[in-house]
Amino acid sequence: MKTTNLVVSILALCVLSISYGQRKKKNPVQIQKETISQTPKLVVGIVVDQMRYDYLTRFWNQYGEGGFKRMVNEGFNCKNNHYNYAPTSTGPGHASVYTGTTPATHGIIGNNWYDKALGKDVYCAGDDNFTSIGTTSDAGQMSPNRMLTTTITDQLRLHTQKRGKVIGVALKDRGAVLPAGHAANAAYWFEGGEMGNWITSSYYMNKLPQWVTDFNASNVVESYKKTWNTLKPIETYVESGLDINNYEGILKGAENNAFPHDLPAIWEENMGFDILKATPYGNSITTDFALAALEGEDLGADTITDFLAISFSSTDYVGHFFGVNSKEVEDTYIRLDQDLARIFTALDEKVGKGEYTVFLTADHAAVNVPSYLMDSKIPAGYLDIKDMEAKFDEFLQYKYGTTDVVKDLSNYQLFLDHKILTNLDIDIKEAQKDMAMELLSYEGIGRVYTGYQMWENEYTEGIPYILQNGYNPKRSGDVLLVPNTGYISYSRTGSTHGSAQIYDTHVPLLLFGKGIKQGSTVNRTEIPDIAPTIASLLGIAFPNGTTGEPIGEVLEFKSITVD
C-alpha cells in the first residue's frame, strides 16, 4: 500500500513539473526596464527676445497649426514660468537659460556693466583679444569670456567628446555667443549697415565655412528690402491698439507710424540693412540662416546629439520701438509663427519627426508703454533721471563734500568708490544705507536695497529674492534701486524691460518632441530649470553652476520590455 502511494506521488510531481515547464515556455517572464535618457538627434533651443507669456494667448487665434499651436498641442506648456532675478535683459537672459543659474553665479549681470576691477564699462560678449571674421569692422570681436560657468551646450560637447556639434544663431551677437557656450563649434550673428552679412569671431574659426560664404553671396537678405505691410488684413488685428497713435516711435524719414512701412524709401536714413532688425523680416532672415546651418553643418544626421541654439532678436527691436500694444508687434508674432512652422517642417524632413527635441522661451518680457497705461487710468510713469542725478549730486556734496564717492550708475545699481570713502573715514555699510535712504525719497523709486543686505540676508521670496539672484558680489553695485510698478527710465514711446516686476519676468516655456510629454502646468517654473531639464533628458551632466531643478512633469522616459 505504501509503495503504491509513493509511485502515485512521484507521478503527480512529474505531471506538475511538466505542466509548469509548459506554462513557463508559453508565458516567458517579461521585465520592464525604464530608459534613463533620451537621445534625440538634435536639440533646438529657441529664445524669443522680449516675448511676454500673454503673446501666446493674446494672438492665439491668429496663429496657424504648425508653429506655436503645434508646440502647445503636441508638447508641454509651462504657463507660470518666470525669471527669478533682475535685471531682466538680453545678455543675462540668454546666459541664464543655458547655464541653469542666475547672474549671481554665471556673472552676466547686464548687457553692459561697470567693471569695478577695470574701472570702465564692459560689454557682456565683448572681447578685443579676438578679431572679426566675415567683416572688416570690429563687430566680430566677441567671445563668451565673461560668462563664468558652463552651459548645457558645453556639457553636451564634453559628454560626446566634442562629437556633438553646437551652433548658435542670432541677429544679436550676445544672442548667439552666450547660448552657444565656451566650447561651441560656431556662433554667427548679423551685421547690418551696407553689407547685411552673417559674421563670427576668430574665437571660433579663422574663416567662414563655405555654406556661410554662399549664403552671404546669395540674394536671400536683399530680398527683404521691401515694404512691410501686415500679413493679414489690418482690420483683423483686433488684439492690438490703433495703428496711428502717440505711443509708438516713428522711423527716420517716415511721415507717421502707420502701416505700410516703406522700407526702401527710408533705407539710407536708417542705416541700410539695420532697419530690417526692427521688422519681422529680421526673424525671417534668422530662420533662413538657421535652416542653412541645419543643412550646411549636417545637424541631426546621426545618433550623436547636436544642438542648434536660435535667438529671434527682431521681436525685441519691434517691441522697443513700437510698444507692447502695437499692430507691429501683433504682425511680428503672426509672421514669427510662420517662421517657426518652417523650422519644424524642415526638422521633420531632415532629422525626422520624433527624432528631435525643441524648447522655446524668452530672455525677458516687457512693460506696456507707461504713457498708454497713464491715459488708460492705470498707475504708471517715467523716472526723471536728470532731475534725480542733480538732486543726488547735491546730497553727495552736502554729505561727503564731493560727488567722487560714486563711480557709476547702471542697471539701476549705484557703484561707490570704496577707496575714497575709506580715505574719508566713512564706513561703507553706513554710506550704502545713507544713500539708499536718500534715493528712496525720490519720486518713482519704490524700494532700495544695499549690497550689505544682499550679503547678510538670504531672501526666499518677493522682490529682494529676485534682486539677490541677480547680485554678484564681485560685479554688482553697492545700492540697488527698484522703480515703482509701471515706472521706467525710457522714452515716452515704445516698451522696455529690465525690472524685477512680474510683467518683465513672466515668459513662455514650451517644449515638444522626443522625450517630452503632452500637457501643461500652472505650477511655478523658473528659467534656471530649463538647462537641468534638458540635461536630465539627455542623461548628461548639469552645467557646473546649476541652481535650477529639472521639471520632472515635462519628461517622458519610455519603458522597454526585456524577455
Side-chain angles (χ1 to χ4, degrees):
M1 185 66 180
K2 292 181 180 178
T3 303
T4 303
N5 289 339
L6 181 60
V7 172
V8 171
S9 298
I10 292 171
L11 289 171
L13 286 171
C14 289
V15 171
L16 286 171
S17 298
I18 293 169
S19 298
Y20 175 76
Q22 289 174 337
R23 286 198 300 272
K24 186 176 181 181
K25 187 174 182 180
K26 289 181 180 178
N27 300 293
V29 176
Q30 294 183 332
I31 301 173
Q32 292 288 323
K33 287 190 175 182
E34 187 176 279
T35 56
I36 62 172
S37 65
Q38 296 282 6
T39 54
K41 294 181 178 179
L42 178 65
V43 176
V44 180
I46 299 174
V47 177
V48 182
D49 206 324
Q50 201 188 121
M51 183 176 181
R52 292 163 54 110
Y53 177 80
D54 64 349
Y55 288 164
L56 189 63
T57 56
R58 185 171 138 205
F59 305 138
W60 183 259
N61 292 333
Q62 294 278 32
Y63 295 144
E65 297 301 318
F68 288 114
K69 285 186 176 180
R70 180 176 176 185
M71 293 199 76
V72 171
N73 293 334
E74 294 183 17
F76 202 93
N77 181 7
C78 296
K79 299 179 179 181
N80 188 22
N81 186 59
H82 290 269
Y83 275 88
N84 62 341
Y85 68 83
T88 42
S89 50
T90 300
H94 284 78
S96 299
V97 168
Y98 282 85
T99 61
T101 189
T102 66
T105 301
H106 63 60
I108 303 298
I109 65 169
N111 291 337
N112 302 275
W113 65 87
Y114 179 78
D115 188 303
K116 293 185 282 191
L118 297 176
K120 65 178 183 179
D121 288 341
V122 296
Y123 176 57
C124 63
D127 193 339
D128 56 13
N129 291 312
F130 298 95
T131 58
S132 301
I133 303 297
T135 179
T136 57
S137 76
D138 61 2
Q141 291 186 296
M142 304 290 162
S143 85
N145 75 97
R146 289 190 169 88
M147 186 164 58
L148 303 176
T149 65
T150 64
T151 59
I152 182 65
T153 45
D154 286 330
Q155 296 302 151
L156 178 65
R157 289 282 283 163
L158 294 173
H159 186 81
T160 62
Q161 301 301 310
K162 299 185 180 179
R163 290 175 293 175
K165 282 188 176 182
V166 169
I167 305 292
V169 173
L171 293 182
K172 295 181 181 179
D173 46 50
R174 57 188 179 272
V177 170
L178 299 175
H182 301 273
N185 297 84
Y188 301 101
W189 50 97
F190 185 74
E191 184 181 32
E194 297 179 1
M195 302 302 295
N197 285 337
W198 289 87
I199 65 172
T200 189
S201 164
S202 61
Y203 177 85
Y204 306 100
M205 63 192 72
N206 294 320
K207 68 175 183 177
L208 294 175
Q210 189 60 48
W211 68 266
V212 178
T213 301
D214 291 343
F215 187 94
N216 286 337
S218 71
N219 195 43
V220 172
V221 175
E222 284 77 3
S223 69
Y224 291 101
K225 186 179 179 180
K226 59 185 179 181
T227 297
W228 173 21
N229 207 344
T230 55
L231 182 66
K232 298 181 179 182
I234 196 167
E235 59 269 18
T236 68
Y237 286 30
V238 297
E239 304 300 337
S240 47
L242 297 174
D243 191 26
I244 299 181
N245 59 69
N246 296 323
Y247 315 118
E248 303 175 10
I250 300 176
L251 293 168
K252 292 180 181 179
E255 294 182 2
N256 55 45
N257 49 31
F259 277 109
H261 299 293
D262 188 353
L263 304 184
I266 57 175
W267 192 258
E268 297 302 326
E269 296 98 317
N270 292 276
M271 300 182 67
F273 286 101
D274 276 333
I275 196 174
L276 296 179
K277 297 176 181 178
T279 76
Y281 298 149
N283 287 337
S284 296
I285 292 168
T286 303
T287 301
D288 295 334
F289 189 76
L291 295 179
L294 181 69
E295 190 70 32
E297 296 290 345
D298 216 18
L299 300 176
D302 55 31
T303 57
I304 301 173
T305 303
D306 296 323
F307 204 117
L308 177 60
I310 307 171
S311 179
F312 288 107
S313 308
S314 287
T315 42
D316 186 66
Y317 290 111
V318 174
H320 274 296
F321 198 83
F322 294 101
V324 163
N325 202 46
S326 65
K327 294 198 183 299
E328 282 79 4
V329 161
E330 183 168 359
D331 189 67
T332 297
Y333 276 88
I334 293 170
R335 291 177 181 270
L336 175 60
D337 183 62
Q338 291 194 341
D339 285 325
L340 291 175
R342 278 205 291 149
I343 291 172
F344 300 153
T345 298
L347 293 174
D348 288 343
E349 294 174 354
K350 179 170 175 57
V351 183
K353 193 171 184 179
E355 294 296 332
Y356 60 88
T357 305
V358 180
F359 70 81
L360 181 148
T361 189
D363 57 351
H364 52 75
V367 65
N368 218 319
V369 180
S371 56
Y372 169 70
L373 295 177
M374 294 161 69
D375 288 346
S376 302
K377 300 181 180 179
I378 295 173
Y382 294 89
L383 299 177
D384 189 336
I385 297 297
K386 288 185 178 180
D387 181 68
M388 287 175 58
E389 287 179 343
K391 188 176 180 181
F392 192 61
D393 281 349
E394 287 182 9
F395 163 79
L396 294 175
Q397 194 69 44
Y398 174 79
K399 182 76 175 178
Y400 305 108
T402 177
T403 60
D404 292 342
V405 292
V406 174
K407 281 189 171 183
D408 191 73
L409 172 62
S410 57
N411 297 312
Y412 293 117
Q413 296 181 26
L414 203 65
F415 293 79
L416 306 185
D417 192 318
H418 289 212
K419 288 184 179 179
I420 290 180
L421 287 167
T422 300
N423 289 338
L424 292 173
D425 199 25
I426 297 170
D427 181 73
I428 303 297
K429 185 175 182 179
E430 288 302 312
Q432 288 182 356
K433 184 178 177 181
D434 290 341
M435 292 184 199
M437 292 302 295
E438 169 69 14
L439 290 165
L440 187 60
S441 69
Y442 293 179
E443 184 179 357
I445 299 298
R447 307 185 190 194
V448 185
Y449 295 87
T450 68
Y452 270 90
Q453 284 178 294
M454 296 294 108
W455 270 77
E456 296 174 345
N457 299 297
E458 185 174 351
Y459 300 106
T460 59
E461 60 184 6
I463 297 295
Y465 162 75
I466 292 174
L467 292 179
Q468 192 168 51
N469 284 332
Y471 180 83
N472 184 285
K474 285 193 172 183
R475 294 184 175 183
S476 296
D478 293 273
V479 181
L480 288 67
L481 310 180
V482 181
N484 285 335
T485 305
Y487 275 71
I488 61 174
S489 172
Y490 201 64
S491 69
R492 291 183 174 266
T493 59
S495 294
T496 193
H497 50 84
S499 79
Q501 306 292 353
I502 201 164
Y503 46 73
D504 282 339
T505 69
H506 190 195
V507 298
L509 174 56
L510 306 175
L511 306 96
F512 93 111
K514 190 167 187 177
I516 304 299
K517 292 179 181 176
Q518 195 283 326
S520 65
T521 183
V522 293
N523 293 330
R524 182 180 174 93
T525 57
E526 296 181 336
I527 285 297
D529 298 336
I530 297 172
T533 299
I534 298 301
S536 297
L537 173 75
L538 299 176
I540 67 177
F542 291 3
N544 62 14
T546 296
T547 53
E549 298 286 342
I551 310 169
E553 55 200 310
V554 165
L555 301 178
E556 181 177 53
F557 295 103
K558 294 181 179 179
S559 298
I560 57 175
T561 302
V562 179
D563 292 339

